[in-house]
């Protein structure tokens, strides 16, 4: 009901940072049709503190019909709190209090916190971030599902995909439990001296899945001076930049490749009489075939260069596949952390920079 109401607006601004931003961004980018204009347009704020970004965002939305989904358990996380304040300053000049009640949706704690209190006082619709779900694990909660539903995607299929991943991860036979096998392989490579894992794919729609994955594993494992350093690449683009290092640089990394088995669309390369570009040997082949052979050739080259590769297969680009992939990595991440005796559900180190930043800003109590 709320998602359908928000679809009437020109723009939905999703305000959040970390898991309150990356999961939704990953889903939108993974599922979207390139170059297609959508309504409502989903924009993001509160994921940085760039003055230029905020000024341009406010300028862009000033003559548009705007709704906001603000996401924060506490309501006091600096980046989204500043963004919400600045955006609301504009919206309060444009809309009545009653109108804002239909435009603003808060995804927050169920009973406490500044955002909970504000939304309760102002009469904004609220969705709950479960107490036992941290931000980086929250994409399949209202944090990610609401904006993805507003964008027109079938969130029931996402949850069905996640349910399938849960069932597959419940198999006690390790040879059939791909999620746990992935966790164990990462652990074994780490024990053998590999210190960096690079997640790579040959589809550009994986860009923000990569970014979400880096937060998931980086925040979950990187504690007590342990854990793999997490990096990512998009091939074949990054083969023309990082490829040299991967092939012949320090032997301290391994790659995890996500291979999408079925492309959403394809195109055939046609024969030309002149063949000036020397590509007639590819005539009759599809572009996805060439892309797959680039992947296979790179895999062979990197193995020759002593870079171990883990290949994970994703059936297709769909809501169900997105849900499956998110849950697959979440449970693999938890198991990976437990294998190195780390709690995967806290992030104490994140508070260090905040303490120094608040001191420099003169925040009371710091």
């Amino acid at each position: 009901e709320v998602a359908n109401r928000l679809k009437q607006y020109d723009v939905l601004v999703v305000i959040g940072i970390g898991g309150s931003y990356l999961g939704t961004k990953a889903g939108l980018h993974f599922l979207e049709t390139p170059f297609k204009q959508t309504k409502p347009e989903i924009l993001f704020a509160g994921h940085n503190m760039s003055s230029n970004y905020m000024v341009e965002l406010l300028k862009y939305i000033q003559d548009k019909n705007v709704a906001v989904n603000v996401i924060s358990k506490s309501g006091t996380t600096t980046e989204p709190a500043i963004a919400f304040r600045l955006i609301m300053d504009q919206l309060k000049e444009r809309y009545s209090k009653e109108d804002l009640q239909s435009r603003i949706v808060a995804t927050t704690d169920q009973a406490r916190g500044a955002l909970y209190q504000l939304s309760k006082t102002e009469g904004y619709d609220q969705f709950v971030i479960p107490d036992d779900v941290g931000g980086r694990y929250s994409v399949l909660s209202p944090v990610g599902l609401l904006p993805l539903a507003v964008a027109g995607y079938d969130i029931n299929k996402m949850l069905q995909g996640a349910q399938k991943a849960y069932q597959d991860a419940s198999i006690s036979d390790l040879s059939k439990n791909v999620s746990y096998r992935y966790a164990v392989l990462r652990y074994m490579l780490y024990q053998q001296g590999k210190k960096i894992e690079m997640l790579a794919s040959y589809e550009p729609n994986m860009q923000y899945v990569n970014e979400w994955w880096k937060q998931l594993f980086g925040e979950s494992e990187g504690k007590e001076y342990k854990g793999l350093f997490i990096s990512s690449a998009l091939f074949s683009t990054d083969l023309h930049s990082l490829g040299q290092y991967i092939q012949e640089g320090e032997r301290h990394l391994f790659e995890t490749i996500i291979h999408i088995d079925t492309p959403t669309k394809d195109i055939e390369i046609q024969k030309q009489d002149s063949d000036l570009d020397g590509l007639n040997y590819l005539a009759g082949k599809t572009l996805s075939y060439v892309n797959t052979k680039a992947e296979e050739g790179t895999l062979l080259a990197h193995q020759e260069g002593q870079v171990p590769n883990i290949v994970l297969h994703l059936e297709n680009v769909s809501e169900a596949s997105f849900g499956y992939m998110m849950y697959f990595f979440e449970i693999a991440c938890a198991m990976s952390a437990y294998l190195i005796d780390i709690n995967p559900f806290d992030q104490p180190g994140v508070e260090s920079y905040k303490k120094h930043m608040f001191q420099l800003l003169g925040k009371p109590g710091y």
Side-chain angles (χ1 to χ4, degrees):
E1 180 183 339
V2 173
N4 287 332
R5 187 182 78 227
L6 295 177
K7 287 179 182 180
Q8 70 180 296
Y9 299 106
D10 297 330
V11 169
L12 174 66
V13 182
V14 179
I15 301 175
I17 196 167
S20 299
Y21 153 69
L22 283 170
T24 301
K25 183 71 172 177
L28 292 171
H29 197 66
F30 179 75
L31 294 166
E32 71 184 3
T33 300
F35 315 115
K36 181 180 179 181
Q37 299 297 313
T38 61
K39 183 181 178 181
E41 185 178 6
I42 310 293
L43 303 177
F44 292 90
H47 58 298
N48 61 55
M49 289 189 286
S50 166
S51 57
N52 182 64
Y53 182 94
M54 179 53 67
V55 169
E56 293 299 328
L57 174 65
L58 291 170
K59 186 187 301 183
Y60 181 78
I61 67 172
Q62 66 184 357
D63 59 352
K64 291 182 168 55
N65 198 7
V66 179
V68 171
N69 177 206
V70 55
I71 306 168
S72 175
K73 255 187 180 177
S74 66
T76 58
T77 303
T78 307
E79 294 91 339
I82 291 174
F84 188 47
R85 175 181 285 206
L86 293 171
I87 289 169
M88 287 302 295
D89 284 345
Q90 184 192 100
L91 298 187
K92 286 176 181 177
E93 293 180 356
R94 298 171 55 190
Y95 306 118
S96 67
K97 180 176 180 179
E98 291 72 24
D99 198 1
L100 286 172
Q101 288 175 346
S102 66
R103 295 172 180 271
I104 311 300
V105 179
T107 306
T108 188
D109 191 88
Q110 62 180 342
R112 60 187 181 275
L115 182 56
Y116 168 80
Q117 293 295 337
L118 174 66
S119 57
K120 186 177 179 181
T121 300
E122 298 295 330
Y124 303 149
D125 282 321
Q126 292 176 283
F127 286 88
V128 173
I129 304 173
D131 285 339
D132 56 352
V133 176
R136 60 186 177 274
Y137 293 91
S138 67
V139 60
L140 298 173
S141 77
V143 169
L145 295 179
L146 176 61
L148 288 168
V150 174
Y153 297 113
D154 190 332
I155 60 175
N156 288 320
K157 289 182 179 178
M158 291 181 193
L159 294 175
Q160 290 167 7
Q163 178 70 21
K164 178 65 165 59
Y166 168 78
Q167 292 168 351
D168 290 351
S170 300
I171 299 171
S172 58
D173 184 349
L174 187 61
S175 67
K176 299 178 181 178
N177 189 322
V178 180
S179 185
Y180 283 180
R181 284 173 62 194
Y182 170 56
V184 170
L185 284 171
R186 298 178 76 251
Y187 173 74
M188 292 171 63
L189 289 165
Y190 181 58
Q191 294 299 308
Q192 292 170 16
K194 301 300 182 183
K195 301 300 182 185
I196 299 172
E197 179 179 13
M198 178 177 285
L199 183 72
S201 166
Y202 288 74
E203 291 292 342
N205 67 332
M206 290 294 295
Q207 179 181 355
Y208 282 95
V209 172
N210 287 357
E211 298 303 314
W212 170 85
W213 176 88
K214 285 191 284 191
Q215 186 203 1
L216 177 69
F217 280 87
E219 277 195 347
S220 297
E221 289 187 306
K223 300 156 202 172
E224 300 177 19
Y225 307 105
K226 300 179 187 177
L228 288 158
F229 181 80
I230 302 303
S231 65
S232 66
L234 285 174
F235 294 156
S236 64
T237 303
D238 287 334
L239 291 175
H240 296 262
S241 56
L242 296 172
Q244 172 62 42
Y245 184 90
I246 297 168
Q247 193 68 41
E248 296 183 347
E250 279 203 53
R251 301 298 80 189
H252 55 185
L253 64 83
F254 68 93
E255 293 173 303
T256 295
I257 308 296
I258 299 181
H259 176 84
I260 298 174
D261 292 336
T262 305
T264 305
K265 296 181 176 68
D266 214 343
I267 187 170
E268 186 176 297
I269 299 169
Q270 302 298 316
K271 184 177 181 179
Q272 293 186 354
D273 292 338
S274 62
D275 195 29
L276 291 175
D277 54 15
L279 292 177
N280 273 354
Y281 76 99
L282 296 176
K285 302 291 194 304
T286 64
L287 189 56
S288 69
Y289 172 86
V290 177
N291 199 28
T292 297
K293 295 308 168 186
E295 178 181 340
E296 293 171 359
T298 304
L299 182 69
L300 292 170
H302 290 179
Q303 287 175 336
E304 288 174 357
Q306 301 175 38
V307 177
N309 272 252
I310 300 170
V311 180
L312 301 172
H313 287 262
L314 192 64
E315 183 178 352
N316 54 29
V317 175
S318 66
E319 290 98 329
S321 289
F322 178 73
Y324 189 102
M325 175 169 55
M326 296 292 101
Y327 192 85
F328 171 91
F329 278 128
E330 287 175 0
I331 198 164
C333 180
M335 176 56 71
S336 293
Y338 286 134
L339 286 171
I340 58 173
D341 198 27
I342 289 292
N343 177 1
F345 302 117
D346 66 357
Q347 54 280 341
V350 174
E351 301 305 315
S352 296
Y353 90 88
K354 295 180 182 179
K355 179 182 71 174
H356 290 290
M357 177 181 71
F358 292 148
Q359 287 173 344
L360 293 168
L361 288 170
K363 183 175 181 178
Y366 288 85

